[in-house]
Amino acid sequence: MRILLTGADGFTGRHFVNGATAAGHTVIAIKSDLKDRDGLKQEILEAAPDAVVHLAAISFVGHADTSAFYDVNVIGTLNLLDGLAALPRIPQKILLASSANVYGNCEQSPIAEEQAPAPVNHYAMSKLAMEYMARNYLDRLPLFFVRPFNYTGLGQAESFLIPKLVAHFARRAAVVELGNLDVEREFNDVRFVCDAYLKLLDKGVSGEVYNVCSGKPVTLKSVIELLRKISGHELEVRVNPAFVRANEVHRLCGVSTKLEKCIGALSHPSLEETLRWMLKNPI
């Protein structure tokens, strides 16, 4: 397939390109800013894609510019869909990356796709708004949504939790300052996520939402202990009040039944495998 990809230079995008090209696909990376409506439309027209994977977004929850979440994640996606809808030949599949953050703090866990969204920060709210906005195009475009739960891997920025911890252990730092320690998350491998995306381009159903998850959450404290074991290094963990988020999602774990029913079971690298991969290749 000729796959049009937004966010090709980002963390997930780079791994998706590797996986897609290894599988024999041609990836065409969008160069235009999502807010450049005309430039975007021209690139889309020239690409003539068979499928689209939309990954570009403001994805760091703590991003300082609140309006950027909506300018990029909602209006940028609107511009992309307008360009796709204008094509003389509509792509066969369009994957739009949302986020499991849209579920917020809910009592039900693990979380299935039927759970009502309850976003608690601007990142999650912008992703949910993007989903609702995009549904206006379902009569013209074969689009579907993925809600990945937390994932990590080589090349993720240190502003994210796991890469920050890995970097501190890799350089054998004496102290690391963190925010909320009493959180529980899935920390899946980015390669698993990209594999799921590729398979959904073949089998994903228009209008559907798919959790991309393993259903295997771990506590932050257990991640720290695992890094201590792998690296053989001890470091002091301090809570910095400046890093504590008022609207922290305390437990985030998904149900993968719908995903697996659609594309079959996928292999999940263990968290230890992922951390060893990252520690061997520190940024």
Side-chain angles (χ1 to χ4, degrees), residues 236-279:
E236 180 185 353
V237 177
R238 296 176 185 168
V239 174
N240 184 334
F243 297 156
V244 176
R245 294 177 187 151
N247 293 320
E248 183 69 84
V249 175
H250 299 291
R251 188 173 195 268
L252 202 53
C253 170
V255 174
S256 60
T257 305
K258 185 175 180 179
L259 177 70
E260 292 177 0
K261 186 176 180 180
C262 179
I263 64 174
L266 294 173
S267 61
H268 293 264
S270 68
L271 179 58
E272 181 168 349
E273 289 176 280
T274 304
L275 293 177
R276 286 185 181 278
W277 174 46
M278 295 170 74
L279 277 166

Side-chain angles (χ1 to χ4, degrees), residues 71 107 216:
D71 291 342
E107 294 181 5
K216 300 175 182 177

Side-chain angles (χ1 to χ4, degrees), residues 21-167:
T21 53
H25 302 294
T26 299
V27 179
I28 304 137
I30 283 287
K31 304 296 184 186
S32 296
D33 189 303
L34 290 176
K35 293 177 286 185
D36 178 6
R37 185 184 181 89
D38 293 335
L40 190 59
K41 187 175 182 178
Q42 185 60 36
E43 273 199 74
I44 291 168
L45 185 63
E46 293 172 0
D50 300 311
V52 179
V53 174
H54 177 37
L55 303 180
I58 302 295
S59 58
F60 178 52
V61 173
H63 188 74
D65 183 359
T66 299
S67 64
F69 286 117
Y70 302 94
D71 291 342
V72 175
N73 298 355
V74 183
I75 303 305
T77 302
L78 173 70
N79 293 338
L80 174 70
L81 296 179
D82 277 342
L84 294 172
L87 283 171
R89 183 176 66 88
I90 298 300
Q92 299 164 22
K93 295 285 172 67
I94 299 170
L95 180 154
L96 302 181
S98 183
S99 170
N101 265 273
V102 301
Y103 295 118
N105 273 314
C106 58
E107 294 181 5
Q108 179 67 32
S109 185
I111 303 166
E113 289 86 352
E114 295 76 20
Q115 176 68 36
V120 296
N121 55 57
H122 284 292
Y123 166 64
M125 187 65 77
S126 71
K127 283 295 191 179
L128 184 59
M130 179 275 291
E131 289 188 28
Y132 287 145
M133 176 278 296
R135 288 190 174 277
N136 287 303
Y137 291 80
L138 279 172
D139 60 337
R140 291 163 281 168
L141 297 173
L143 58 88
F144 61 90
F145 308 93
V146 291
R147 291 175 179 168
F149 284 66
N150 293 66
Y151 61 93
T152 190
L154 189 63
Q156 190 176 31
E158 281 188 41
S159 54
F160 291 88
L161 177 60
I162 301 299
K164 177 178 179 177
L165 283 169
V166 167

Side-chain angles (χ1 to χ4, degrees), residues 222-248:
S222 69
V223 175
I224 294 168
E225 287 305 315
L226 187 53
L227 282 166
R228 282 174 173 151
K229 185 189 88 169
I230 296 170
S231 67
H233 176 63
E234 292 287 339
L235 88 172
E236 180 185 353
V237 177
R238 296 176 185 168
V239 174
N240 184 334
F243 297 156
V244 176
R245 294 177 187 151
N247 293 320
E248 183 69 84

